[in-house]
């Protein structure tokens, strides 16, 4: 059976001299693996559309054991990603996280985040946190972010988000459970915005560097606690963002 679909290339593994195995995120079929034969040859019809982070229209034959890309036409290439090591590293991490989640629902979010990264529209730490927590929310893992789980306090102090239980505690209630707050007011506002804002307004906020770092640590811990997986690209990303 052949399908025609838009797709974003998340991973490209070279096989032999000119073939590749692509991992493609599609809107209707989720994450697919497919062979792109001859796609590394400059004159091959697949060459321009099968590069890493290319968003292309694919014709894919679905086989019992292997899928094959029959044709591809490029729609969008995020050229700006390769301009900095930091941008490339973030894109690699987001792709690995997406492959782990295996969800088609995050395609639009990933495209927007890659665009923001390539065009340097937002700080990379902020983009990383947005993608991490929004994808978790879309996958059904949204934490409780509205108020303290114990006393229902909404604001006025630092808060603690439990990365495992997803519970939000005000500073006083966190102290009673021997927990130190990990969210200042700015980071807490951003966390609520990421989880609850409509798509069109998702990226529309700013943070101080301190709040960015706090938010980033919390979101990363939350992802690690619920996926039970450490992406290999994360360690490298840490190295270039510090």
């Amino acid at each position: 059976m052949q399908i025609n679909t838009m797709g974003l290339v998340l991973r490209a593994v070279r096989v032999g001299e000119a073939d590749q195995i692509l991992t493609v995120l599609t809107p209707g079929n989720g994450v697919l693996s497919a062979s792109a034969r001859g796609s590394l040859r400059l004159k091959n019809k697949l060459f321009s559309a099968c590069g890493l982070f290319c968003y292309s229209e694919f014709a894919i034959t679905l086989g019992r054991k292997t899928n094959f890309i029959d044709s591809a036409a490029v729609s969008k290439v995020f050229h700006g990603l390769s301009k900095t090591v930091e941008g490339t590293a973030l894109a690699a991490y987001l792709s690995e996280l997406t492959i782990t989640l295996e969800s088609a629902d995050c395609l639009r979010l990933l495209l927007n985040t890659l665009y923001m990264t390539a065009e340097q529209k937002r700080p990379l730490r902020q983009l990383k946190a947005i993608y991490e927590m929004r994808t978790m929310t879309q996958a059904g893992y949204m934490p409780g972010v509205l108020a303290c789980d114990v006393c229902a306090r909404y604001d006025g102090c630092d808060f603690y988000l439990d990365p495992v239980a997803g519970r939000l505690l005000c500073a006083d209630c966190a102290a009673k459970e021997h927990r130190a707050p990990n969210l200042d007011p700015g980071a807490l506002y951003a966390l609520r915005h990421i989880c609850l804002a409509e798509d069109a307004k998702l990226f529309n906020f700013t943070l101080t560097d301190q709040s960015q770092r706090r938010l980033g640590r919390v979101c990363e811990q939350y992802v690690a606690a619920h996926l039970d997986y450490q992406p290999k690209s994360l360690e490298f990303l840490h190295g270039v963002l510090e």
Side-chain angles (χ1 to χ4, degrees):
M1 180 179 72
Q2 187 183 74
I3 61 170
N4 294 293
T5 180
M6 299 301 297
L8 177 68
V9 179
L10 300 178
R11 180 182 293 162
V13 178
R14 183 169 185 159
V15 180
E17 292 186 2
D19 299 347
Q20 294 185 98
I21 300 296
L22 304 183
T23 303
V24 182
L25 177 62
T26 68
N29 296 84
V31 177
L32 290 177
S33 178
S35 174
R37 290 175 293 192
S39 58
L40 290 175
R41 294 192 177 98
L42 287 174
K43 295 183 179 181
N44 189 281
K45 62 182 181 179
L46 300 179
F47 178 81
S48 62
C50 290
L52 191 60
F53 307 127
C54 282
Y55 183 55
S56 304
E57 183 176 0
F58 294 98
I60 304 175
T61 295
L62 302 179
R64 290 185 177 181
K65 295 184 179 180
T66 306
N67 303 319
F68 296 94
I69 295 177
D70 301 316
S71 64
V74 66
S75 175
K76 173 69 177 178
V77 180
F78 299 95
H79 295 289
L81 292 177
S82 60
K83 291 182 179 180
T84 66
V85 175
E86 296 85 352
T88 303
L90 178 59
Y93 168 64
L94 299 183
S95 293
E96 188 174 359
L97 180 57
T98 303
I99 292 170
T100 303
L101 287 169
E102 295 186 340
S103 172
D105 295 337
C106 58
L107 176 58
R108 180 181 177 185
L109 173 61
L110 182 54
L111 290 171
N112 287 337
T113 306
L114 291 179
Y115 166 77
M116 290 282 183
T117 302
E119 300 299 322
Q120 301 181 18
K121 296 288 188 179
R122 295 289 186 277
L124 296 187
R125 286 191 184 88
Q126 186 169 322
L127 292 173
K128 173 179 174 289
I130 289 173
Y131 191 80
E132 286 172 329
M133 194 55 75
R134 188 69 166 202
T135 52
M136 295 303 289
T137 296
Q138 290 177 338
Y141 296 101
M142 187 179 81
V145 297
L146 294 180
C148 176
D149 188 59
V150 176
C151 70
R153 185 172 184 175
Y154 179 79
D155 57 14
C157 65
D158 288 351
F159 278 72
Y160 171 75
L161 180 72
D162 187 326
V164 177
R167 300 169 65 225
L168 190 67
L169 300 174
C170 69
D172 291 341
C173 292
K176 293 176 183 178
E177 297 190 14
H178 308 289
R179 302 288 187 178
N182 53 12
L183 293 167
D184 59 22
L188 175 60
Y189 167 84
L191 179 65
R192 287 170 173 159
H193 181 88
I194 292 169
C195 292
L196 302 173
E198 58 187 76
D199 289 344
K201 298 180 180 179
L202 177 60
F203 296 91
N204 295 344
F205 67 90
T206 58
L207 283 174
T208 64
D209 184 68
Q210 179 180 336
S211 293
Q212 280 183 28
R213 290 178 181 274
R214 286 197 170 193
L215 177 67
R217 285 193 292 268
V218 168
C219 292
E220 186 176 303
Q221 291 168 359
Y222 191 79
V223 169
H226 289 269
L227 291 187
D228 193 26
Y229 171 72
Q230 179 79 5
K232 296 178 181 178
S233 54
L234 184 57
E235 182 177 353
F236 179 70
L237 178 60
H238 282 161
V240 299
L241 286 184
E242 292 300 328

